[in-house]
Amino acid sequence: MQSNLECFLNCTTPVVQSQFLPKTEIRNLNRLWHPWEREKVEYFTLADLWNCYDEWSAYGAGVPIALDNGETLVQYYVPYLSAIQIFTSNSSINSFREEADSGDCETRDSYSDSLSDDSESDKLWRWDGCSSEEGGFEQDNSALHLNDRLGYLYFQYFERSTPYGRVPLMDKINALAQRYPGLMSLRSVDLSPASWMAVAWYPIYHIPMGRTIKDLSTCFLTYHTLSSSFQDMDVEDEIDENNVERKRKEGEGISLPPFGLATYKMQGNVWVSGNCGRDQERLLSLLSVADSWLKQLRVQHHDFNYFTGIIRR
C-alpha cells in the first residue's frame, strides 16, 4: 500500500512522451551538460510536457487518500505555474531571438507599466524593464552568462498573484508562449541543468463530499528539472524500495518526479502517518533540497517564501 504522500507525488508527476535524438545531433550536444557518450539520447519537448498538465488544468488531478478510519476518498488538485527558469546555450538563444523579436512589442511595454516594487534581491533578476515575474532574453547577455555550465537565461516567470487570481498551468503557458515560442519548441536536450519549474497544487474538492478534514486543505509546491541532464538519475531510488519494480522501459515516456517540495496548511497527520515515519523525513528532505536549489541560483521564489514563512534578505 502506498502512503498518502506517495499517492500525491505519483498522481501529480508528469510522464512525458519521449523521442530519440538523431545520431547526427548527438555529437552536437553540450558536453558540459551531457558528458556521457551514448548511442541513444532520449528527450522530450516542452510542448509535450505541458500536454501532461492539460487535463489536470481543466479537471484537477485526482489523489486517492486513505483516512484513519479506513475510508478512502479522492482529493482533486489543480496545477498552477508558480515559477520557471529556462537556461539554454548561446546558439539556442539566437535561434529563438528572431521569433520573439517579431512579436507584439506593445504587450511587452504594457506589462512593464504594471510592475510592482521589487526588493534588492529581486532586482538581481531584473533587466530592461522585465520584473522578476517575467523576462526573456532582451537583456545583456554578459549579465546573463553567469558561467558556461549555467547557460543563458531564455525565459523566467515568477507568479505573485493570490491563488484566486491565477489561471491553471496550461492556460498560463499558452499565454506566455505567445511571446516566448521556445516554451513550446525547446527540447529537454537544449536546456542546461539549471532549468527548472515549480508547480503549485491547490485543492478544489473531494469525492465523496461532506467530510471536513483539515489536511485536505493542504497545498503543495513541487519542483521539477526540465533538462535531459538528469534523466539518467532516479530521484526516488534511495527512498522508494519498490521503485525498482516500476523502472521505466525505453520509449515508455520520461517521468519527472519532484526533486523538491514545500507544503502549506498541513495541520494533521494525513500526509505523514505512512511509511513508518519515513514520510515525515521525506518531506523535510525535499524541503531542504528545494531551499538549497533556490539559494544556489540566488532566486527569490515568492510561493516558497510564503509556503514556508521565510522572509529572505
Side-chain angles (χ1 to χ4, degrees):
M1 289 290 293
Q2 289 185 329
S3 69
N4 291 330
L5 179 62
E6 287 175 333
C7 279
F8 172 82
L9 295 176
N10 290 335
C11 291
T12 57
T13 290
V15 179
V16 194
Q17 176 183 338
S18 65
Q19 303 179 46
F20 289 98
L21 200 65
K23 289 187 177 180
T24 54
E25 291 189 38
I26 293 179
R27 59 175 169 267
N28 296 327
L29 293 175
N30 186 322
R31 288 304 170 191
L32 281 174
W33 304 345
H34 305 278
W36 301 281
E37 291 290 341
R38 288 179 289 177
E39 287 293 319
K40 293 182 179 180
V41 174
E42 213 169 354
Y43 72 93
F44 61 87
T45 65
L46 290 184
D48 285 337
L49 170 60
W50 310 135
N51 285 339
C52 296
Y53 291 91
D54 191 14
E55 187 172 328
W56 293 339
S57 295
Y59 306 108
V63 180
I65 297 175
L67 304 179
D68 291 338
N69 61 6
E71 295 181 32
T72 300
L73 52 78
V74 179
Q75 176 70 54
Y76 286 84
Y77 285 86
V78 173
Y80 297 85
L81 181 64
S82 176
I84 185 171
Q85 284 190 313
I86 295 177
F87 293 90
T88 69
S89 66
N90 191 27
S91 58
S92 296
I93 285 287
N94 291 335
S95 66
F96 291 104
R97 182 184 298 277
E98 295 179 3
E99 296 179 54
D101 281 353
S102 63
D104 186 358
C105 293
E106 292 182 6
T107 305
R108 207 173 282 161
D109 294 338
S110 64
Y111 183 86
S112 62
D113 291 339
S114 64
L115 298 181
S116 58
D117 292 334
D118 291 332
S119 67
E120 287 301 316
S121 298
D122 289 334
K123 289 176 183 176
L124 176 66
W125 293 106
R126 181 192 232 184
W127 304 277
D128 286 354
C130 288
S131 77
S132 58
E133 286 130 324
E134 181 180 339
F137 48 72
E138 300 92 342
Q139 307 88 353
D140 178 9
N141 275 345
S142 63
L144 293 177
H145 195 197
L146 303 180
N147 56 57
D148 290 336
R149 188 170 294 277
L150 190 63
Y152 293 81
L153 182 66
Y154 168 72
F155 176 79
Q156 67 176 354
Y157 177 85
F158 294 93
E159 182 62 79
R160 292 177 177 271
S161 302
T162 63
Y164 300 105
R166 305 183 184 190
V167 295
L169 186 145
M170 195 65 196
D171 299 316
K172 174 60 71 174
I173 288 294
N174 285 333
L176 294 173
Q178 297 298 312
R179 294 169 58 189
Y180 301 96
L183 285 174
M184 291 296 181
S185 55
L186 280 167
R187 308 169 300 178
S188 57
V189 288
D190 301 322
L191 309 183
S192 95
S195 301
W196 63 284
M197 72 170 179
V199 180
W201 298 88
Y202 292 108
I204 47 176
Y205 62 87
H206 55 266
I207 298 176
M209 301 288 287
R211 296 293 305 275
T212 300
I213 302 170
K214 288 182 178 180
D215 260 352
L216 295 189
S217 63
T218 302
C219 307
F220 293 89
L221 193 58
T222 58
Y223 290 79
H224 307 263
T225 178
L226 299 176
S227 172
S228 291
S229 301
F230 295 104
Q231 284 173 25
D232 292 332
M233 301 169 60
D234 290 302
V235 178
E236 298 182 357
D237 275 358
E238 297 180 4
I239 303 171
D240 187 356
E241 296 174 354
N242 298 322
N243 198 48
V244 177
E245 302 174 9
R246 299 200 305 271
K247 286 289 187 185
R248 180 178 64 87
K249 295 180 181 178
E250 193 176 82
E252 279 189 351
I254 298 171
S255 177
L256 298 179
F259 67 81
L261 180 74
T263 63
Y264 179 65
K265 290 185 178 180
M266 186 175 286
Q267 302 167 330
N269 63 355
V270 167
W271 300 107
V272 295
S273 59
N275 270 345
C276 301
R278 285 184 296 172
D279 281 341
Q280 179 69 51
E281 296 176 8
R282 188 174 188 182
L283 280 173
L284 293 174
S285 175
L286 289 169
L287 178 65
S288 175
V289 171
D291 185 48
S292 296
W293 179 267
L294 297 174
K295 286 177 179 176
Q296 286 183 51
L297 287 178
R298 296 185 295 168
V299 166
Q300 286 289 327
H301 184 193
H302 179 74
D303 278 353
F304 182 83
N305 295 345
Y306 187 81
F307 273 40
T308 58
I310 293 175
I311 301 177
R312 291 177 182 266
R313 298 298 183 186

